[in-house]
Amino acid sequence: MTSPAYLAAVRDSYDTLAADYFAQVPPPSGMDPLNRGMLAVFADLVRAAGSGPVADLGCGPGRTTAHLAALGLRAFGVDVSPKMIALARGNHPGLRFTEGPMAALDTASGTLGGILAWYSVHHTPPDRLPALFAEFHRVLAPGGLLLIGDWTGSDEELSPDLAFGHPVSYRSYFLPLSRLADLLTRAGLDVTARLEQEPEGRQKRPHACLLARKAPQGHGGT
């Protein structure tokens, strides 16, 4: 089946810049304390809920997947870019990485203890977010956790010509935090925490974390 144009642009762009992305983007140890703290909270909650498998969607070169594994989760990575997946497999041979889109996961319904979408949702056009979040809901087990970390904005759309010194064709969509939370709620996920941060240091725009949970069985969830 032919990929949507936006997805092909994301795949081709990240294939082009994969090596420089890996060289220039800091690993989780270089994140700010609040983001590292949210990853730790996410890991604690997943373990407390039973620690089913955790999918790192848009995993890139796999360093955050490896960080989740070090926090005690059974983490695996998914990315649409073959070159990112090759980097992830080469640098973390003990973990599983799969090439594919996060909107159509090769994962059975109701089987994941958690999903991490770490700065990967913003390449999805807003009109496709309901289907994406419905897919997240489908694969999460009852009581499963979702953590989204991403840039926010006021319904902005950007089409950069270059990233990491390479020509790119993807687009980025920066939505208000409240709209992202509403879309998660409409998908049947209960938003339990949100953290919004102002630009600071190397970060040039506001960014946020959203923590959500699929309702446990017997609590009115679908």
Side-chain angles (χ1 to χ4, degrees):
M1 186 169 63
T2 303
S3 297
Y6 85 92
L7 195 59
V10 171
R11 181 191 63 232
D12 294 346
S13 296
Y14 278 94
D15 273 354
T16 299
L17 59 82
D20 284 312
Y21 179 102
F22 180 73
Q24 296 179 42
V25 174
S29 61
M31 291 179 186
D32 69 87
L34 287 176
N35 275 314
R36 287 201 312 273
M38 287 299 293
L39 290 174
V41 167
F42 171 70
D44 285 347
L45 291 171
V46 172
R47 288 197 307 269
S51 194
V54 173
D56 179 12
L57 302 182
C59 67
R63 289 183 293 201
T64 305
T65 317
H67 182 71
L68 295 180
L71 292 174
L73 301 182
R74 291 188 287 133
F76 66 95
V78 179
D79 202 283
V80 74
S81 163
K83 290 192 177 180
M84 285 291 197
I85 290 295
L87 282 171
R89 289 171 175 165
N91 285 281
H92 308 287
L95 298 176
R96 177 164 63 94
F97 295 97
T98 302
E99 179 190 334
M102 60 183 176
L105 296 168
D106 185 18
T107 301
S109 298
T111 57
L112 295 184
I115 290 173
L116 177 68
W118 202 243
Y119 294 84
S120 54
V121 168
H122 65 272
H123 289 312
T124 301
D127 64 342
R128 291 180 178 264
L129 287 176
L132 177 65
F133 294 161
E135 178 70 346
F136 291 179
H137 183 276
R138 179 187 72 80
V139 297
L140 280 172
L145 280 298
L146 165 68
L147 178 61
I148 292 177
D150 221 318
W151 314 111
T152 58
S154 54
D155 290 303
E156 302 164 56
E157 178 180 339
L158 296 181
S159 302
D161 295 321
L162 293 173
F164 299 93
H166 296 274
V168 293
S169 55
Y170 61 63
R171 295 183 180 183
S172 297
Y173 306 88
F174 306 118
L175 305 185
L177 180 60
S178 59
R179 185 173 172 196
L180 288 170
D182 180 63
L183 288 168
L184 290 175
T185 300
R186 290 173 181 268
L189 297 163
D190 299 323
V191 176
T192 60
R194 60 187 79 187
L195 170 69
E196 191 161 22
Q197 297 177 251
E198 295 302 318
E200 183 180 8
R202 64 184 295 272
Q203 311 292 357
K204 303 302 182 185
R205 66 167 45 251
H207 52 116
C209 291
L210 277 169
L211 186 67
R213 181 190 297 269
K214 183 174 178 177
Q217 288 180 336
H219 288 72
T222 55

